[in-house]
Each structure stands twice: as structure tokens, then as C-alpha cells.
Amino acid sequence: MLDRRRVLKGGLVLLATSSLASIYQPVQAKTFTGGTEPWRAVLPAPLRAVDGRKLVYLSPAEAQLIGSIFDVLIPEEDGTMGAVDAGCVTFLDHQLAGPFGQGKDDYRSGPVVQGTPQQGPQDIDTPAQIYRRGLKELQDVAQSRFGKPFEELGEDQKISFLQNVESGTTAFKTIKGTEFFALMLQNVREGFLADPMYGGNKDMVGWKMIGFPGAMYDFRDWVVSQRGKKIDVQPVSLLGNI
């Protein structure tokens, strides 16, 4: 759990570069006729970096707790920043306040039927609701078991505690701890590897660690000449070198 490369393995596909087309080839508003209704293209919203100076969903106590958890999952290593310093809490806070946290694209009308593991969580609660309950129940269990909050546990205690949550040995009251752990792990990976405009990956630390060049339009001609060599390039964010 302390090996960042193992934590991040498999998370590289989370890099959000699909919106490059909206930068280099802006959509032009145009009316098309046909069928029963006219269709009008809509210009995409301008790109803006999130403001990490204040919380927009998490309470200060929740932010402190999730930060303590995230820093166990992706700790500081070899002099490079861990999850909190990289902005993963800011990333999560803004995601929970937005469409992801509100489950905008999820079907949540029920009925709730237990599916197979391959079908993923079968829950009508939104990610924001799951975090609110999950963090409270995790803290309650830590307080009951150790007599102090999770943040005050020793490093080995934190690791052991989270391993038990991950394996299902430590059970919560109203949510599945295994699914909650998987959600936290997914989100801390996203925060560490997403474009910095979303609040995480400060100074593009995640991209530099894995050698990802960032939001570059096309470098195929150049990369052919680098075959077999270590690629050492300065990553570029969707908003430039932020």
C-alpha cells in the first residue's frame, strides 16, 4: 500500500485529455435542419482551473480525514509530494460537488439488486452521499477501536486499518467498506494523474513520475526517433504550464 507505483498501476487510463479537441478545434455554432427539430451546436464552456482556496463540498473535518487516508495510499516518496500536497483532496472536493459527486449520469431509481462483481456497485446513493456516510463510519470505527480518530493513529495502524477495510475484515454499518475503499483508491489515483486544472497533480508531479507528456496535440513524428530511449519531456497542462 505504501508503494506508489503499485497504487497507481492501472490508473493511467484515467488521464483526461479527451477535451483537447475543444481547444485546438473549437466547435462553431451552426444550425442544421432536418427531421422534426433543428439542432444547434453549443460552444463548450471555457476551461478554468478549480479554486482550491476553499472547500466546496467536504467539511474541514472530512477534508482532514480523507487527506490522512490519501497520504497513506499515495505517500511522499523519494522527496516528491504525496497525495495531499499534490492536491488530491482539492480534486476530490470539487468532483464531489460536481456531476460526478451528484451521480448525474447514473441510474438511481432502483430497484436495487445485488449484481456480480463485474457489474460494479449496485447502489442508488451518489458518490457524494457515499463519501459523507463512509467517512463518518470509518471515523466511528477508528474511534471505537483505538479510542482516537484515524488521523492520530500511527502509520502502521493506519495501514493495517485500511487493509482491513479493503479486505472486508472491518465492516461498516450502512455501506460496504470494500466498495468505499475501492472508490477512494480510484479517486486518489485520478487526483494524482488528472490534468492539474482539476485541482490535483500539482506541478504535474504524477505525469513527471510516469513520463507522461501531458496535453500535447501530437508528438508521433518526434517520439519515433526516441525509440528505446528514456523520454524526458516537460509535461503540458490543458491550461499550459500551470
Side-chain angles (χ1 to χ4, degrees):
M1 189 177 297
L2 288 177
D3 187 335
R4 290 199 299 185
R5 293 186 180 274
R6 290 183 61 193
V7 170
L8 295 171
K9 185 179 180 181
L12 308 190
V13 296
L14 303 171
L15 296 168
T17 57
S18 60
S19 57
L20 284 175
S22 65
I23 299 176
Y24 295 102
Q25 297 177 350
V27 176
Q28 300 298 320
K30 184 176 181 180
T31 301
F32 294 88
T33 58
T36 57
E37 296 289 339
W39 178 83
R40 180 177 294 275
V42 179
L43 288 173
L47 296 176
R48 293 190 182 91
V50 303
D51 184 354
R53 293 174 295 180
K54 61 180 181 179
L55 297 170
V56 293
Y57 178 79
L58 296 169
S59 69
E62 289 171 335
Q64 183 178 7
L65 174 56
I66 195 63
S68 184
I69 295 168
F70 277 4
D71 263 351
V72 173
L73 298 176
I74 303 182
E76 180 182 339
E77 187 176 277
D78 298 329
T80 60
M81 62 186 77
V84 172
D85 288 341
C88 292
V89 176
T90 296
F91 169 85
L92 176 67
D93 181 47
H94 283 261
Q95 292 299 310
L96 293 179
F100 165 76
Q102 305 310 309
K104 182 179 178 181
D105 297 326
D106 298 335
Y107 176 80
R108 298 190 294 109
S109 297
V112 178
V113 180
Q114 182 61 43
T116 65
Q118 291 78 14
Q119 292 174 314
Q122 304 294 310
D123 202 323
I124 61 175
D125 290 335
T126 66
Q129 292 170 330
I130 292 172
Y131 264 96
R132 183 130 289 160
R133 293 212 318 271
L135 290 174
K136 181 181 184 306
E137 293 191 20
L138 186 149
Q139 191 69 287
D140 288 345
V141 173
Q143 189 73 47
S144 174
R145 183 170 300 176
F146 301 101
K148 52 187 175 182
F150 179 87
E151 302 94 304
E152 296 180 12
L153 300 181
E155 194 67 19
D156 290 341
Q157 287 179 313
K158 289 178 180 178
I159 294 171
S160 177
F161 184 90
L162 291 178
Q163 285 175 334
N164 288 334
V165 174
E166 180 183 20
S167 66
T169 305
T170 294
F172 293 166
K173 292 181 180 179
T174 65
I175 68 171
K176 293 182 179 179
T178 54
E179 292 181 359
F180 182 49
F181 180 89
L183 182 62
M184 291 190 292
L185 181 59
Q186 171 190 326
N187 294 155
V188 74
R189 283 171 170 170
E190 291 170 337
F192 203 76
L193 293 169
D195 193 282
M197 68 172 285
Y198 299 109
N201 194 12
K202 183 179 179 181
D203 296 334
M204 292 172 273
V205 59
W207 291 355
K208 291 174 182 176
M209 190 184 82
I210 64 174
F212 182 71
M216 294 188 180
Y217 177 69
D218 196 337
F219 53 93
R220 285 173 294 181
D221 292 341
W222 172 81
V223 80
V224 168
S225 66
Q226 304 300 308
R227 185 168 297 167
K229 301 178 183 178
K230 179 181 177 181
I231 298 177
D232 187 14
V233 296
Q234 177 65 29
V236 178
S237 164
L238 288 171
L239 295 178
N241 289 318
I242 62 174

